[in-house]
Amino acid sequence: MANFDEMAMLFAIGNIGEHERAMNVRQTRRKEIILDPFDTSDRLFIKNFRLTKDLVNRLSAVDLNTKILVTLNFLASGSYQSPTGNSKFIVLSQPSVSRCISEVVEALNRPEIFDKWVKFPSNLNELTEIRNGFYRETGFPGVIGCIDCTHVAIVPPSNNLNLNENENPEYIYVNRKGYHSINVQLICDSKLRVLNVNALFPGSTHDTHIWNNSSVLPVMQELHRRNHHNFYLLGDSGYPLRPWLLTPITNPTTNPEKYYNQKQMSTRSLIERCNGVLKMRFRCLLKDRTLHYKPEKASSIINACIVLHNMCITNNIPLDEHDIPEYDNLGMMENREILADNNRNLDLALGRQHREKIVTYLFQRHV
């Protein structure tokens, strides 16, 4: 596991030391008793901050407990900044909470941290390990990731079209459900760990367009050019069928085709579970919470949540028993329409051939 001293090192910047010294003095202008979160039970601590006490201590080796706890509580609850600062654990002004969140989110987005916790496999050994994990978990051969998109609600961005305010028109963030959002592409492994995230596109962007601009697509294409045909992703019918991205069969007629669809969909459900766990753990991403930030800052918050989610998965931190997925608020939309994909007939034909091999393999093992 990566060393949490690296996170502490990122926070040890010159101007942080003088910032909000009073936060380390557990005093309050109110009469309520302020609890030390580290005095609560392990279960309550995880419920409020999503990480264990040990992980937080390692995350904050430099004396920055308050800043990190404020941010974790905000991400976990999806509350506004003022209630976060006035909770029974921490008492801070809204501007102080805002600065804490900005500093921690920025640190989690730095390549030294983000690339260590969110990374697509970079060699054949890593690919094989993930593929074997999928096969042990689902019995579906060759899978190295499940892909889908989910929407994270944001407040309507400014109508001022400039780089300081917003580089995209406001209306382009309105998704098919009629609310403003970021359309976030996720790829996960069999353990629900996020291997790749793309949180850069407005809500009206089609999933296929995000995939066509993904850094993972050329990696998958290169694998197949080098004759590594036994590695591919699973996606829903909104994605184009390719040798490196297998989708369900439209209107299956034979028993093998029906069984393939059943296995493909049950394996692909891992990405829905991943999204559910992510949003239940960090409720600021739920539709009814809505991120009150500019789109660029919202994207950074989404990335920070992904890093923390992967930390939790790696350390086997369970969700609280009351954190039951609210499926109506998870932001995944069924995608039936595929964008026009010209000059790809050969890739489509190869994808069909490859899918037919998998159909035959699965059915033979089934019977």
Side-chain angles (χ1 to χ4, degrees):
M1 193 182 88
N3 192 332
F4 275 78
D5 289 342
E6 295 173 357
M7 175 65 81
M9 177 188 69
L10 290 177
F11 288 125
I13 336 171
N15 63 348
I16 288 182
E18 298 300 322
H19 174 58
E20 294 291 349
R21 293 288 189 187
M23 288 194 297
N24 293 326
V25 181
R26 304 280 178 156
Q27 296 179 347
T28 175
R29 294 181 296 275
R30 302 180 305 169
K31 294 183 178 180
E32 296 118 4
I33 297 175
I34 304 304
L35 302 178
D36 185 342
F38 288 91
D39 289 338
T40 63
S41 68
D42 292 340
R43 178 178 172 277
L44 183 60
F45 191 95
I46 292 175
K47 179 178 176 63
N48 281 281
F49 304 109
R50 291 328 194 231
L51 272 64
T52 62
K53 297 175 186 178
D54 178 62
L55 274 175
V56 170
N57 278 325
R58 288 149 62 190
L59 192 64
S60 55
V62 179
D63 188 20
L64 295 168
N65 279 3
T66 302
K67 292 184 178 183
I68 294 173
L69 290 172
V70 163
T71 304
L72 292 178
N73 187 243
F74 167 77
L75 299 177
S77 65
S79 181
Y80 292 104
Q81 292 180 356
S82 293
T84 298
N86 292 319
S87 73
K88 63 182 178 181
F89 297 112
I90 301 159
V91 175
L92 291 175
S93 67
Q94 182 274 325
S96 295
V97 171
S98 179
R99 286 192 290 270
C100 290
I101 293 170
S102 294
E103 289 175 7
V104 176
V105 166
E106 179 184 352
L108 289 169
N109 274 266
R110 293 188 182 183
E112 300 93 321
I113 295 300
F114 185 85
D115 293 346
K116 191 171 289 289
W117 286 99
V118 186
K119 57 180 181 179
F120 197 75
S122 58
N123 56 59
L124 289 177
N125 288 336
E126 293 177 355
L127 287 166
T128 301
E129 182 180 354
I130 291 176
R131 182 185 63 187
N132 291 346
F134 268 103
Y135 190 74
R136 288 192 299 267
E137 185 77 23
T138 68
F140 205 112
V143 183
I144 58 169
C146 296
I147 183 172
D148 207 345
C149 286
T150 185
H151 289 261
V152 174
I154 61 173
V155 295
S158 169
N159 285 317
N160 295 329
L161 195 58
N162 58 66
L163 293 179
N164 292 327
E165 290 290 331
N166 182 22
E167 59 181 289
N168 296 305
E170 170 271 332
Y171 66 84
I172 205 170
Y173 288 93
V174 180
N175 61 38
R176 289 186 290 114
K177 295 291 185 179
Y179 63 91
H180 294 79
S181 69
I182 303 292
N183 194 6
V184 184
Q185 178 184 276
L186 300 174
I187 300 176
C188 78
D189 67 9
S190 61
K191 298 177 181 178
L192 310 186
R193 184 177 57 207
V194 176
L195 303 176
N196 179 265
V197 56
N198 189 332
L200 299 176
F201 287 87
S204 66
T205 311
H206 196 281
D207 294 2
T208 303
H209 179 77
I210 301 175
W211 169 238
N212 286 337
N213 288 274
S214 169
S215 61
V216 175
L217 175 56
V219 173
M220 299 302 299
Q221 291 172 326
E222 183 63 23
L223 275 172
H224 281 256
R225 288 193 190 100
R226 295 177 179 270
N227 295 320
H228 297 295
H229 301 304
N230 53 345
F231 298 111
Y232 48 82
L233 304 175
L234 295 184
D236 65 19
S237 56
Y239 290 96
L241 173 64
R242 296 290 181 264
W244 49 82
L245 203 171
L246 299 188
T247 60
I249 297 173
T250 304
N251 301 319
T253 55
T254 66
N255 287 333
E257 288 179 344
K258 293 176 182 177
Y259 184 69
Y260 163 84
N261 269 11
Q262 176 187 332
K263 291 291 289 182
Q264 200 270 0
M265 293 176 185
S266 64
T267 303
R268 201 182 73 239
S269 69
L270 286 168
I271 189 63
E272 297 174 4
R273 286 173 52 196
C274 173
N275 182 54
V277 170
L278 169 67
K279 291 189 175 182
M280 289 302 101
R281 182 170 271 138
F282 300 107
R283 290 172 174 257
C284 68
L285 304 180
L286 285 171
K287 175 190 170 184
D288 57 4
R289 302 304 167 93
T290 308
L291 290 175
H292 288 249
Y293 296 93
K294 296 176 183 178
E296 295 77 14
K297 181 65 173 291
S299 295
S300 295
I301 290 174
I302 294 166
N303 286 343
C305 290
I306 297 293
V307 171
L308 296 169
H309 166 82
N310 281 357
M311 288 181 176
C312 292
I313 294 295
T314 301
N315 288 274
N316 298 313
I317 300 175
L319 278 176
D320 185 83
E321 60 184 5
H322 299 296
D323 284 334
I324 301 173
E326 301 170 8
Y327 288 106
D328 289 341
N329 293 324
L330 294 184
M332 282 187 161
M333 302 180 186
E334 190 174 5
N335 238 326
R336 294 297 179 188
E337 178 189 2
I338 301 178
L339 293 181
D341 196 15
N342 299 326
N343 301 319
R344 295 294 183 182
N345 292 334
L346 178 59
D347 286 338
L348 176 58
L350 291 174
R352 286 173 176 161
Q353 291 178 15
H354 193 61
R355 187 171 64 181
E356 281 303 312
K357 292 179 182 178
I358 302 300
V359 168
T360 302
Y361 172 86
L362 287 172
F363 194 71
Q364 287 177 346
R365 287 186 61 86
H366 175 61
V367 297

